[in-house]
């Protein structure tokens, strides 16, 4: 299989991650506690934010710093977090979990979910336009983005809030999805169900995602519909999965709107292949009783419940907020950094040995380099997503990816750390201690406990 075909399967924009959610404070030699700073590079969705926050003690606080490679992905993260912060007075945790998963992984939505998406997007337009001077929502901070990046966020949110603006209404996500499947499979398109079955049985199931149901996986591969938890009409286009890609047409570069994300691995990987509730993994006659959709819902509902349990009403702390109704979780802050921020972090003294955990997605593993050690705290960890669920890679390519990550991390000043129960989806590293570290000025850091 060509490398170009590999890229087409995973997509040129990452709408969701290729690994399960992780509590990043517990991903390393010790459980980190206190005032914690976590850097996410290319995580694509809020799964690690929600999972890590749910694992905090009452006395802990978490500040997450997010770097992505496109403004569309940042906008989607903000939208999903905004939906997560809706208070129970306006919507139950059960309904929030359904809405969250539909927006995360469905090409088309129920009308009720579409309404919730538009309302959240309109609210975020006001939020980004007003800016942090008015402190509309301390949990979600976009003030460090460049002005043009914030302008782009406003454009994206307005497009989502009013379908049909700026050409988005002319894009059929159903046709866009099918075009991607045709492009990826080529001459195998007419035998696509056999291709889907092979990817599910011989790749996903063999790599540890056996709970993914065949019927649901086929539905997603065919139409982009991963989560249909309620009976209803799913006909509202999910605008958060549409973006532009620069393609060549007759020698000219043209921006083409369409679906350019994953069409192979599935959004079930984020929340649906692991659970601490063993009853959800029960099998009968060799088949799982529950599906990845069931597990995704149970996990997301539990994470949103944890978020809600530490949430305050906005009127308790804010006045004249343009984001009415959003919870203010005690001890959680999320700051979005500019797209090119990673290489410039070491230039800022405030970030020197600052982060207790640095997370790099598989798509951002090429960013492994010297600057990471300069911004990682002495007791911190570096976590890199592996290519286990990039299905178009061969076994040799997957092993080669691991070797490249290990070599890159060592060159960046990190040593591999292997737990008693190794995680096949992530590699974990600890920083090599510089000999002159004790001479450097310290920062407020979290304490460690076994």
């Amino acid at each position: 299989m060509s490398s170009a075909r590999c890229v087409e399967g995973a997509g040129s924009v990452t709408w969701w991650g290729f690994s399960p959610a992780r509590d990043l404070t517990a991903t390393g030699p010790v459980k980190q506690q206190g005032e914690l700073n976590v850097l996410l590079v290319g995580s694509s969705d809020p799964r690690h934010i929600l999972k890590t926050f749910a694992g905090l003690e009452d006395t802990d606080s978490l500040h997450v710093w997010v770097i992505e490679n496109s403004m569309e992905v940042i906008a989607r993260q903000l939208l999903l977090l905004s939906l997560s912060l809706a208070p129970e007075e306006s919507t139950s945790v059960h309904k929030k979990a359904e809405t969250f998963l539909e927006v995360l992984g469905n090409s088309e939505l129920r009308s009720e979910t579409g309404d919730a998406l538009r309302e959240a997007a309109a609210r975020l337009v006001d939020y980004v336009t007003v800016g942090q001077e008015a402190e509309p929502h301390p949990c979600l901070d976009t003030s460090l983005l460049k002005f043009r990046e914030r302008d782009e966020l406003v454009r994206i949110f307005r497009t989502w809030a009013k379908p049909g603006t700026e050409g988005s209404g002319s894009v059929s996500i159903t046709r866009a999805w099918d075009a991607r499947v045709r492009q990826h499979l080529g001459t195998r398109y007419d035998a696509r169900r056999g291709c889907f079955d092979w990817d599910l049985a011989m790749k996903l199931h063999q790599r540890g995602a056996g709970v993914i149901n065949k019927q649901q996986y086929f539905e997603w591969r065919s139409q982009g519909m991963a989560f249909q938890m309620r009976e209803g009409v799913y006909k509202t286009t999910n605008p958060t999965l549409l973006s532009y890609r620069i393609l060549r047409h007759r020698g000219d570069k043209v921006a083409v709107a369409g679906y350019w994300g994953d069409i192979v691995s599935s959004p079930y990987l984020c929340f649906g292949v692991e659970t601490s509730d063993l009853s959800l993994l029960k099998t009968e006659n060799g088949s799982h009783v529950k599906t990845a959709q069931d597990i995704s819902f149970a996990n997301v509902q539990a994470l949103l419940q944890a978020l809600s349990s530490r949430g305050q009403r906005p009127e308790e702390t804010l006045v004249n907020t343009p984001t009415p109704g959003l919870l203010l979780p005690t001890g959680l802050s999320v700051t979005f950094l500019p797209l090119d921020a990673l290489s410039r972090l070491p230039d800022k003294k405030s970030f020197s040995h600052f982060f207790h955990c640095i997370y790099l997605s598989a798509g951002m593993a090429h960013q492994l380099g010297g600057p990471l050690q300069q911004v990682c705290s002495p007791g911190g960890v570096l976590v890199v997503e592996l290519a286990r669920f990039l299905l178009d890679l061969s076994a040799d390519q997957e092993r080669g990816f691991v070797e490249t990550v290990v070599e890159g991390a060592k060159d960046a000043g990190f040593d591999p750390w292997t737990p008693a129960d190794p995680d096949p989806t992530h590699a974990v590293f600890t920083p090599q201690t510089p000999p002159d570290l004790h001479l450097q000025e310290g920062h407020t850091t979290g304490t460690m406990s076994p």
Side-chain angles (χ1 to χ4, degrees), residues 140-215:
L140 305 176
D141 183 2
T142 60
S143 64
L144 297 183
L145 293 174
K146 297 176 181 179
F147 287 115
R148 66 174 179 271
E149 292 173 337
R150 295 179 69 182
D151 290 343
E152 178 66 5
L153 274 184
V154 171
R155 183 197 67 78
I156 293 169
F157 290 139
R158 283 177 175 163
T159 301
W160 295 351
K162 297 180 180 180
T165 60
E166 301 188 24
S168 64
S170 62
V171 179
S172 167
I173 196 166
T174 302
R175 288 197 295 269
W177 186 279
D178 185 65
R180 285 289 317 288
V181 175
R182 287 178 180 272
Q183 182 182 26
H184 178 63
L185 294 179
T187 58
R188 300 176 297 157
Y189 179 79
D190 289 339
R192 57 191 176 278
R193 290 187 67 85
C195 296
F196 299 165
D197 189 50
W198 176 269
D199 287 341
L200 179 64
M202 304 306 295
K203 295 183 180 180
L204 282 170
H205 286 180
Q206 293 295 322
R207 299 181 190 188
V211 73
I212 296 180
N213 175 271
K214 180 176 180 178
Q215 179 179 346

Side-chain angles (χ1 to χ4, degrees), residues 40-81:
L40 300 180
V41 184
S43 60
S44 305
D45 60 67
R47 68 192 188 284
H48 299 311
I49 297 175
L50 297 175
K51 182 76 171 181
T52 302
F53 184 71
L56 296 182
E57 300 292 337
D58 292 341
T59 55
D60 296 338
S61 64
L62 176 67
H63 193 160
V64 181
W65 307 74
V66 179
I67 299 175
E68 294 292 350
N69 59 8
S70 77
M71 293 311 300
E72 288 89 353
V73 175
I74 288 179
R76 226 171 91 95
Q77 286 227 43
L78 278 164
L79 183 86
L80 288 169
L81 287 169

Side-chain angles (χ1 to χ4, degrees), residues 65 144 337 344-346 348-355 374-376 443:
W65 307 74
L144 297 183
L337 297 173
R344 296 185 291 107
L345 289 180
K348 298 182 179 296
K349 188 178 179 180
S350 58
F351 288 117
S352 177
H353 301 291
F354 180 72
F355 297 106
Q374 298 176 41
V375 298
C376 186
H443 295 272

Side-chain angles (χ1 to χ4, degrees), residues 123 125-143 150 314 317-324 328:
R123 184 168 55 232
V125 168
D126 293 336
Y127 163 52
V128 176
T129 302
V130 171
Q132 286 294 309
E133 292 181 3
E135 295 186 355
H137 199 285
C139 176
L140 305 176
D141 183 2
T142 60
S143 64
R150 295 179 69 182
T317 54
L318 297 180
V319 179
N320 298 325
T321 172
T323 55
L328 302 173

Side-chain angles (χ1 to χ4, degrees), residues 15 36 69 84 92 110 127 189 197 220 243 245 251 261 277 300 314 346 350 368 383 424 426 430:
W15 294 129
L36 303 170
N69 59 8
S84 302
S92 66
R110 292 177 297 121
Y127 163 52
Y189 179 79
D197 189 50
W220 175 76
S243 63
R245 183 178 180 183
D277 185 351
V300 169
S350 58
L368 281 168
V383 181
H426 294 92
T430 55

Side-chain angles (χ1 to χ4, degrees), residues 316-370:
E316 295 177 14
T317 54
L318 297 180
V319 179
N320 298 325
T321 172
T323 55
L326 293 186
L327 294 173
L328 302 173
T330 303
L332 175 64
S333 298
V334 182
T335 297
F336 292 87
L337 297 173
L339 303 183
D340 62 352
L342 186 60
S343 62
R344 296 185 291 107
L345 289 180
D347 299 333
K348 298 182 179 296
K349 188 178 179 180
S350 58
F351 288 117
S352 177
H353 301 291
F354 180 72
F355 297 106
H356 303 95
C357 178
I358 300 174
Y359 179 92
L360 265 66
S361 69
M364 299 293 276
H366 63 280
Q367 296 285 0
L368 281 168

